[in-house]
Structure formats: structure tokens, C-alpha cells
Amino acid sequence: MLAASFVLVVEILENLAYLANASNLVLYLREYMHLSPSKSANDVTNFMGTAFLLALLGGFLSDAFFSTFVIFLISASIEFLGLIILTIQARTPSLMPPSCDGPTCESVSGSKAAMLFVGLYLVALGVGGIKGSLPSHGAEQFDESTPKGRKQRSTFFNYFVFCLACGALVAVTFVVWLEDNKGWKWGFGVSTIAIFVSILIFLSGSSFYRNKIPCGSPLTTILKVLLAASAKCCASGSSSNAVVNLAISPSNHCVPKGKKEEVVKSEGELEKLPPQESVPPKAELTNSLRCLNRAVEERPIHRLLECTVQQVEDVKVVLKMLPIFACTIMLNCCLAQLSTFSVQQAASMNTKIGNLKIPPASLPVFPVVFIMILAPIYDHLIIPFARKATKTEMGITHLQRIGVGLVLSILAMAVAALVEIKRKGVAKDKGLLESQETLPATFLWIALQYLFLGSADLFTLAGLLEFFFTEAPSSMRSLATSLSWASLAMGYYLSSVIVSIVNSITGSSGNTPWLKGRHINSYKLDYFYWLMCVLSAANFLHYLFWAMRYKYRSAGSRS
């Protein structure tokens, strides 16, 4: 837990550096770089989606060629470089477009635009690498062969999301205030310092870390098994059904290196291994996804397609996890919608709490604070009670936890629809439907849907991270864990697609599209939220179909 605590502190600083810019980036691109509202919104969506998708690259490199330790340091250095570029541009007037005084403004272009987007996408590349390596690095520090180690690992994932929320809280309050009141150079500067300090803290824990040895490309294993099975399905004259290779390739199983690193004495023989990394028992073919068994049940067409039983079973595990991954995309689509339309709703309402005026961009503070309150309650109250009630090690299984998050996302969209009905009702009663005046209704109503979404995010993200790490083969854990972040990216992209489809369908035959108009009051946002609620409910039923058929393979999860 001591080694993992360094990772938790680093996550606070890393997420602070990322979200400090992502949460307010639309304003920077629109008001300081003079990009159009639509282009600035698209650029921010692309930036955030790219960052989370690149987590797959970070996870792949951690498993295949480098350790999670090395990938974090490389990725953090890349993000640090990107933030330096953005800071220099924000504080140098000659590197920004001319100030805008008239009705038309000259947008950033040429070398200035190149500098802006190089900085942004270096940050995205760095964030992706960190997200793909840091959670796995922290989880690798625990002894998964003991109940205590598995419980500590579960606590780690819970507090990883808690620390992510801590960084987000500072980002959407203090740093956003700095950017709005003191200038963007201060916001970028704080982010740059935060990521630099995170590197120093991460390095200070080096003597405590256990580092997994890279095992070769997991994608190569997956592709080889799929190609071997497909080739044998298509081949017509193969008469041999003998199992060619039932051995486990030692290269497919990773062992940690550190103070107590194992020493290879001779081929196939290891000096004393730690309990959690002992050589696994000989694998046997299972009846699930039997079409893949052909990869080892018949003589390979080519020696490069020769597979082991362990490789085939590992690929089966990965394929069975993919439907669970797919079912979480809809939840993240809801998160993306509420982070855009909800801000516009709040901007039309009274955002004062007493004498304090809250900027709409700081709305995410509500789910963040709720996550910070709920995470300790979940870990110290709910889970111990569930363990006593169910008499199992986990108390609540990974898939049950994810399912709770999906149900909460359905409730969040229903609440969002009801709040929008109330907001438009106030506008209609006061005769302000066609006006851009502030409505006499507090924006705290919007916070209700954020509370449900914050709870959904805690349950689903922490559950996904732990599910993918514990269930994935040891040679593919970082890549599998990265699917949690890829789900976020797919959710952002899907949200754009759904909005476009809804506007296209509802705008046919000369009708006004639901999500277009001169003002948020002219949108049919309540209809859209009800649609998202129905889609989320259908997605939950789809999730139940797969979750009820999933068989756990990891210790503790089966109990």
C-alpha cells in the first residue's frame, strides 16, 4: 500500500494538470484564439477523445515493450513539454492572434496555430500514456494470491477514482478561477508545475515499486490466435486432429522485478518466485468460444501461426470482456452530453449562491465533491456490510458494481429531463422563452443530475478498472485496463454522432431540429434527455445479457 500511495498522489496532480485545461478549453480557443464556437467545441471534443483513446497505446507499450514505470515517465515528460509550449504561447502576445476589437476577429493561423495544436496534442499524447500505465502500475504493487492483497487492491482502485476527483476539484475551482481572472498563462503554468512535481513524487517511490517485466505484444498473440483459428476453419483437407502444442509458453507470463527479483537458473527453471507470481498450472481448453480451439487442435498451417493452449484461453478471456466494455460506452455518452448541454442550461439560470457567483464551467464540481464523499463511504461502510451480508470476499462483484453505475446513469437522464421541463416552465411563465435574460431559477437544480452522474461514474469507472485488471491475462493487463479510458473516448464520439442523427431526423420535412436554435430555450432538450434515458435503459438490458453469462476467472471475484 505504501508503494501504491505514491501512485495515488501522482494521480491527483496528473488529473489536475489535464482537467484544468480541458474543462475551460472551449473558452480559450474561442475568446483568445478567436476560433468559431463550433470549431472550438469540435477541437475540444477531439482533444479529449484523442487523449483517452491514446490510453490504449500507453497500455499496449506497457505490456509489450516497456514497464508501466517507464511509460509513465515518458508520457509525463511529453505532457510536460506540451504544457511548456502552451504556457509560452499564452504569455507571449506575438504568438497569439491580434486582439479583437471589431465585429470580426482574425483567428489563429499559420505557425501560431501549429504551435497551439502541437502543444495540445503533445498534452493529449502524454495524458493517454499516463492513463494507460498509472492505474496498472499501482495495482501491480499488491499480492493477488492472498485475500488481504486482493482487498487492498480493490481499495486502491476505489481511492484512485477518489484521487482523480481530488485533482478535478482543484482544477475546476482554483485553476479555472485563475484562468478567468488572472489569465491563461497562470492556468497553464499551474498545470506545468503540477505535472513536473508529479514526476518527482513518482520517482521518489522507485525503491518501493514492483515492476512487471514486459512480455511481448499482446496484440500479436490475439491476432495470431484469430488468424490460426480462421485459417483452419477455411482450410479443407486437414485430417489431423492431434493437439500439437499444449504447453504454456513462459514468455506469456510476467513476473515482477525489484528488490526480490527472481533469477533464471536454467531454461524453464526459476529460482524462488513470490507466491502471487508462481508459475500457473497447465492450461486446458475450455468449451467457450470453441471455434478458437482449432488454433491448437490441428497442426498449424505455418510455424508462425503455432499457438499454445494458454494463448488461446487468454484470447478467449479478452473477447469475453469486450461486450462489457461496449455496454459502458452509453454511460460515458451521457456524461459527455451533460457536460455540454448542462453548462448551457446553467448559464441561462441564476448562478449565484449568496453573494458568490459560480461560473457555469465549474458545474463539474458537484459530481466531483459527491465522488469524494461517496468513495470513502463505499469502501469503509458499504463494502464491509456487503461482505458480511453475502459472506464473500468481494461483497459486491465487479459486474454488479458496473451495473449499479449503469442504473444510476438512467436515473440521471430522467432527472435531467424533469429539470429541463421545470426550467422551461419557469421561462414560459415569466415570458422569457425568446429572451436571453437570466431566469429566476437557481442553477442548483442542474446539480441534481450531476449527483446521479457522479455516483454512476464512481461505481462504473472504479469497477471497470478493477474488472479489466483482475480478469485480463497478466500479459495484457495494462492494455485491458486502458479500455476503461477508451470507453470514455468512444462515449464522447458517440455523443456527437447521436446529436447529429437526432437533428437530422427531427429536422426533416421542414421541422425545427430538437437541438438547434437561437437560444437554449428553443431547444427540445427534455425530449432529447428522455431519448437518452430510453437508450440507456436498453443498454442496461443488453449489459445484463452479457453480465449474467460471464464467468469470473480471477481469485476472489468468483466468491
Side-chain angles (χ1 to χ4, degrees):
M1 204 67 191
L2 175 62
S5 65
F6 288 93
V7 173
L8 295 177
V9 175
V10 166
E11 177 55 24
I12 294 174
L13 295 170
E14 180 275 326
N15 206 48
L16 186 160
Y18 169 63
L19 275 185
N21 303 314
S23 62
N24 213 16
L25 192 58
V26 171
L27 177 65
Y28 179 67
L29 296 179
R30 189 174 69 240
E31 296 190 7
Y32 291 84
M33 293 300 175
H34 306 325
L35 298 181
S36 66
S38 59
K39 178 162 176 52
S40 59
N42 286 336
D43 285 337
V44 172
T45 300
N46 292 337
F47 167 74
M48 297 181 74
T50 300
F52 287 125
L53 269 185
L54 285 171
L56 292 173
L57 176 62
F60 167 74
L61 293 176
S62 297
D63 286 331
F65 306 110
F66 307 95
S67 65
T68 52
F69 179 87
V70 172
I71 289 298
F72 172 83
L73 291 178
I74 293 174
S75 302
S77 300
I78 292 173
E79 184 177 356
F80 180 62
L81 176 60
L83 287 169
I84 288 177
I85 293 174
L86 293 174
T87 304
I88 292 173
Q89 185 170 42
R91 71 188 306 272
T92 307
S94 61
L95 296 176
M96 301 181 74
S99 58
C100 181
D101 297 323
T104 58
C105 304
E106 180 184 339
S107 62
V108 65
S109 60
S111 60
K112 298 174 184 177
M115 184 175 184
L116 170 67
F117 288 106
V118 166
L120 282 177
Y121 283 96
L122 280 176
V123 171
L125 178 60
V127 168
I130 291 173
K131 299 294 187 189
S133 58
L134 194 60
S136 296
H137 182 75
E140 287 167 3
Q141 309 309 315
F142 300 97
D143 183 353
E144 65 180 5
S145 67
T146 66
K148 180 182 177 182
R150 293 192 291 269
K151 289 177 181 178
Q152 287 181 327
R153 186 176 61 190
S154 182
T155 295
F156 164 76
F157 280 114
N158 198 50
Y159 274 94
F160 185 86
V161 177
F162 173 85
C163 291
L164 187 147
C166 289
L169 178 64
V170 179
V172 300
T173 53
F174 173 68
V175 183
V176 167
W177 180 87
L178 273 181
E179 291 166 348
D180 289 346
N181 295 277
K182 300 297 182 181
W184 270 84
K185 60 184 178 182
W186 290 96
F188 286 132
V190 168
S191 297
T192 305
I193 294 171
I195 203 67
F196 178 71
V197 173
S198 76
I199 295 173
L200 298 181
I201 292 176
F202 186 79
L203 287 173
S204 67
S206 299
S207 59
F208 301 100
Y209 296 148
R210 299 170 63 249
N211 296 312
K212 187 183 75 174
I213 299 173
C215 306
S217 171
L219 295 182
T220 301
T221 300
I222 294 172
L223 186 62
K224 181 171 70 171
V225 171
L226 294 178
L227 284 176
S230 300
K232 289 172 184 177
C233 285
C234 297
S236 57
S238 176
S239 59
S240 173
N241 288 320
V243 176
V244 175
N245 187 356
L246 293 181
I248 300 175
S249 173
S251 64
N252 287 336
H253 299 278
C254 304
V255 293
K257 61 181 180 180
K259 284 185 175 180
K260 299 181 180 179
E261 184 175 2
E262 305 79 22
V263 180
V264 180
K265 295 170 64 178
S266 60
E267 184 176 356
E269 184 181 359
L270 291 177
E271 209 172 290
K272 189 175 181 181
L273 292 170
Q276 69 272 26
E277 302 295 344
S278 56
V279 176
K282 188 172 182 179
E284 296 181 358
L285 287 175
T286 60
N287 290 327
S288 62
L289 298 175
R290 295 183 62 182
C291 58
L292 296 182
N293 292 352
R294 292 175 177 267
V296 291
E297 286 180 340
E298 300 173 3
R299 195 170 299 278
I301 293 177
H302 191 278
R303 63 181 183 82
L304 293 179
L305 295 180
E306 185 173 328
C307 304
T308 67
V309 172
Q310 186 63 50
Q311 288 174 329
V312 171
E313 291 304 307
D314 286 352
V315 172
K316 287 182 180 181
V317 170
V318 173
L319 293 180
K320 285 187 284 189
M321 290 192 299
L322 289 180
I324 304 298
F325 155 76
C327 290
T328 62
I329 294 175
M330 192 63 207
L331 179 144
N332 291 307
C333 180
C334 295
L335 284 170
Q337 296 299 341
L338 291 182
S339 66
T340 52
F341 291 123
S342 291
V343 172
Q344 295 182 53
Q345 288 174 287
S348 71
M349 303 170 77
N350 180 10
T351 59
K352 285 186 177 181
I353 300 179
N355 294 324
L356 181 65
K357 186 175 178 64
I358 308 296
S362 292
L363 263 180
V365 73
F366 292 106
V368 163
V369 169
F370 198 68
I371 287 174
M372 293 174 64
I373 295 172
L374 185 59
I377 293 175
Y378 179 85
D379 198 68
H380 298 291
L381 294 179
I382 297 176
I383 284 297
F385 175 79
R387 284 171 178 157
K388 289 181 180 179
T390 61
K391 293 181 172 57
T392 61
E393 181 183 305
M394 291 292 297
I396 300 175
T397 67
H398 308 139
L399 294 180
Q400 287 171 345
R401 187 172 185 177
I402 295 169
V404 170
L406 295 180
V407 170
L408 289 171
S409 71
I410 299 171
L411 296 176
M413 300 315 300
V415 169
L418 294 173
V419 169
E420 174 61 7
I421 291 172
K422 176 177 176 59
R423 191 194 68 83
K424 287 191 73 173
V426 171
K428 184 177 181 180
D429 292 341
K430 301 296 181 180
L432 298 175
L433 277 177
E434 301 300 324
S435 172
Q436 297 192 19
E437 291 183 33
T438 300
L439 299 178
T442 177
F443 80 120
L444 292 177
W445 286 104
I446 305 294
L448 290 175
Q449 60 220 49
Y450 274 98
L451 295 182
F452 281 99
L453 270 182
S455 304
D457 201 20
L458 172 65
F459 277 93
T460 302
L461 181 56
L464 267 182
L465 287 169
E466 187 174 2
F467 171 71
F468 285 134
F469 184 88
T470 57
E471 291 297 297
S474 60
S475 60
M476 305 179 187
R477 279 180 163 175
S478 296
L479 179 63
T481 306
S482 301
L483 288 174
S484 306
W485 308 111
S487 175
L488 277 169
M490 299 297 287
Y492 276 104
Y493 292 138
L494 179 62
S495 71
S496 299
V497 172
I498 290 179
V499 169
S500 298
I501 292 174
V502 166
N503 280 337
S504 176
I505 294 175
T506 58
S508 60
S509 304
N511 297 321
T512 303
W514 283 3
L515 304 175
K516 280 188 178 180
R518 293 182 292 110
H519 190 257
I520 187 72
N521 291 339
S522 61
Y523 289 13
K524 291 184 173 62
L525 199 53
D526 50 336
Y527 292 0
F528 177 70
Y529 283 151
W530 285 124
L531 173 64
M532 295 293 288
C533 183
V534 171
L535 291 177
S536 297
N539 177 68
F540 177 68
L541 295 177
H542 181 219
Y543 172 79
L544 283 180
F545 174 83
W546 295 105
M548 293 175 69
R549 287 161 176 75
Y550 187 86
K551 303 296 183 184
Y552 288 102
R553 65 183 291 272
S554 59
S557 299
R558 295 186 294 267
S559 60

